[in-house]
Structure formats: C-alpha cells, structure tokens
Amino acid sequence: MYVEMKDICKTFDGFQASDHVSFGIEKGQMAALLGPSGSGKTTILRMLAGLDRPDSGDIMINGFRVNDLPGNKRGIGFVFQNYALFRYMTVADNIGFGLEVQKKSKAEIKERVEELLELISMEDLGKRYPHQLSGGQKQRVAFARALAPGPGLLLLDEPFAAIDAKVRRELRNWLRDMIGRVGITSIFVTHDQEEAMEVANQVIIINQGKIEQIGTPEEICFHPKTEFVADFIETERFSQGGK
Ligand SMILES: Nc1ncnc2c1ncn2[C@@H]1O[C@H](COP(=O)(O)OP(=O)(O)O)[C@@H](O)[C@H]1O
Ligand SMILES: [Mg+2]
C-alpha cells in the first residue's frame, strides 16, 4: 500500500468528522472518495496533507508513519476547488512556484515547466495570466503546478465543482488519462457518483465520517453492501435523469 489510513478519528468541537476511518491505496492507483456534502471527505484529505491532525490513528505514506511529519515533507501535491492560482504570476511562474521554493536552478525550473506545459497541452500559454484562461485551463495549470515538484501522492478535492457540466465531463476524461500517463497515486474527492465511477479504479464511499464500502466501480454499483450505498447510488442516478 502506498497510502494507509489506520483507524483514524477526528472530532471538531465534539462533532465526529472521521469515525474510525481505515483504507489503503496501492501505488499508482486512482481512488475516488465519494460521499454527500458534510460526510468528512475534505477532513480526510486535510489530515493526509498535514493541514489537520487526527485525534487518533496512524497515517502511513510509502511505509512511513507521517502523523508527526509537516505537510511539506510528505511528498504530496494538491488541487483544491478553491486553491486559486497566483493572480499576479504567469502560467509558467505558477507551475514553477514549488520548484522556486525548493531553490532549484533557473535552467532546471525552465525545463520542468516546459515539460509540464506540454503535458497539459498549453505550450503556447506560459506567458498568460490566470484571468486570461478559461476555468478548465486554470484547473489544468493547477494540476501541473501540483505535479511540478514530483510528489508521490496527488490529492484532488472536488477540482471541477465550479466548472460547468460539459467542460467538466471533458476535464474528467482528461484527468483520468493524465493521471494514468503520469502514473501517480491519487485520491480524487467528489460528491458526484458518476464522476467517481468514471475516473477511479477504486471507490471509497463515506457517510457521516464512516467508511461504508470500498470497491471497484462495478462492485459498488452492482453489489452495494449497505443500505446507504444502495440509496446513495440510486438517488444519484435518478437525479441525473434515471440512467
Ligand atoms: N474546522 C472545522 N471546525 C468545525 N467543524 C468542521 C471543521 N471542518 C469540518 N467540520 C465539520 O466536519 C464535517 C465534515 O466536513 P468536511 O470534511 O468538510 O465534509 P465534506 O468535504 O465531505 O463536505 C462537517 O459537518 C463540517 O461542518
Ligand atoms: Mg469537502
């Protein structure tokens, strides 16, 4: 397992946001963390990223317990819905930011930024500023920025929530292909079951801070283990036009 959450509990002012959460993700896998709003998805990502501390339980990354390791030492990249680009920096400078922080040489930064611009098919847009980009392009830049320092784990928290439905579908396919190509272990948070099923090869369903089921998209769809999972998948299907 590349990532393991072992019996994690977290409360906020007596409210249990994570209730004995355990799951593991193999290296190179793309897992979706799926659940309704308020179910505790962001809390899990924040603990993995070192932005919050669990009350109990162990967080393991690449075989090491990282509970006491600062977030910037964990080798994690993240793309959050509201993790805006730096407005006064060009696309290229946004992508190179993490490398600047690491004090890499100018030449090395330039080379890596060019490689990433090519990866996201934005070779000619390096000199633009964020306000000159579409929503989808901004999220592609956010993705490249997260990958630039070469993290071992990529966390994405509802990265397409603010983008309209059609572009969202395109981006979702794009993201799946990109992650497959880069081969990075990833956790993709969403409350949209269709998005989870399409993007991930492992789906982790969470409700009220508890893991309800972990399985492939097929297992979740055809063999829901709890009433909640069955209901959640059904309700979502109906709300999307009864497919
Ligand atoms: N810093 C915090 N202080 C108090 N309550 C919080 C805090 N962060 C999250 N919560 C609560 O924990 C629950 C889970 O939140 P969150 O992990 O953001 O859910 P999700 O991302 O699934 O929508 C929510 O009820 C939320 O109000
Ligand atoms: Mg959230």
Side-chain angles (χ1 to χ4, degrees):
M1 292 290 172
Y2 190 77
V3 181
E4 265 183 287
M5 296 293 262
K6 291 184 172 171
D7 205 24
I8 297 287
C9 290
K10 174 76 182 173
T11 55
F12 294 108
D13 310 320
F15 178 87
Q16 190 139 23
S18 298
D19 190 354
H20 298 278
V21 165
S22 297
F23 63 81
I25 299 167
E26 308 263 11
K27 198 176 169 97
Q29 257 202 338
M30 168 75 153
L33 188 56
L34 172 67
S37 177
S39 57
K41 305 181 296 294
T42 295
T43 302
I44 289 175
L45 287 202
R46 288 180 55 85
M47 290 190 288
L48 275 166
L51 300 168
D52 271 324
R53 274 188 77 88
D55 300 334
S56 61
D58 293 326
I59 304 176
M60 313 289 293
I61 297 179
N62 204 11
F64 295 96
R65 184 178 180 275
V66 300
N67 292 49
D68 303 315
L69 198 66
N72 60 7
K73 300 261 162 65
R74 294 185 187 183
I76 290 179
F78 43 93
V79 181
F80 283 6
Q81 182 193 334
N82 298 317
Y83 197 62
L85 299 176
F86 304 116
R87 286 164 60 198
Y88 301 108
M89 281 188 198
T90 63
V91 164
D93 289 344
N94 264 283
I95 296 175
F97 180 76
L99 302 168
E100 288 278 351
V101 171
Q102 290 181 342
K103 305 257 185 290
K104 299 284 189 222
S105 74
K106 285 261 180 294
E108 203 176 329
I109 295 176
K110 188 163 178 283
E111 192 185 324
R112 179 78 175 137
V113 168
E114 276 169 12
E115 185 183 304
L116 285 159
L117 281 170
E118 200 183 308
L119 178 79
I120 61 169
S121 312
M122 287 178 60
E123 294 92 328
D124 302 326
L125 304 180
K127 292 206 169 73
R128 287 218 186 156
Y129 286 87
H131 74 270
Q132 299 170 308
L133 303 176
S134 70
Q137 286 172 331
K138 280 185 205 163
Q139 280 308 61
R140 285 199 263 158
V141 174
F143 174 76
R145 181 175 61 178
L147 284 185
L153 174 65
L154 184 64
L155 306 177
L156 305 112
D157 194 354
E158 313 225 16
F160 308 141
I163 291 169
D164 65 75
K166 183 175 165 286
V167 179
R168 209 173 149 157
R169 192 171 294 256
E170 284 167 20
L171 270 177
R172 170 202 297 182
N173 293 329
W174 177 86
L175 180 75
R176 191 190 49 211
D177 294 348
M178 270 309 113
I179 287 182
R181 214 191 303 171
V182 177
I184 188 170
T185 313
S186 314
I187 306 179
F188 178 83
V189 161
T190 179
H191 62 267
D192 176 337
Q193 65 108 356
E194 200 188 60
E195 194 164 273
M197 303 297 175
E198 235 175 74
V199 169
N201 35 38
Q202 182 189 7
V203 179
I204 302 165
I205 303 216
I206 183 169
N207 179 40
Q208 296 186 337
K210 279 200 184 81
I211 305 293
E212 293 271 341
Q213 187 169 352
I214 302 177
T216 62
E218 291 73 25
E219 283 163 357
I220 302 279
C221 273
F222 301 117
H223 305 286
K225 273 195 182 149
T226 66
E227 208 160 315
F228 172 81
V229 174
D231 276 357
F232 186 61
I233 301 291
E234 275 304 307
T235 316
E236 287 269 314
R237 271 191 204 155
F238 283 121
S239 70
Q240 283 162 12
K243 269 189 299 140

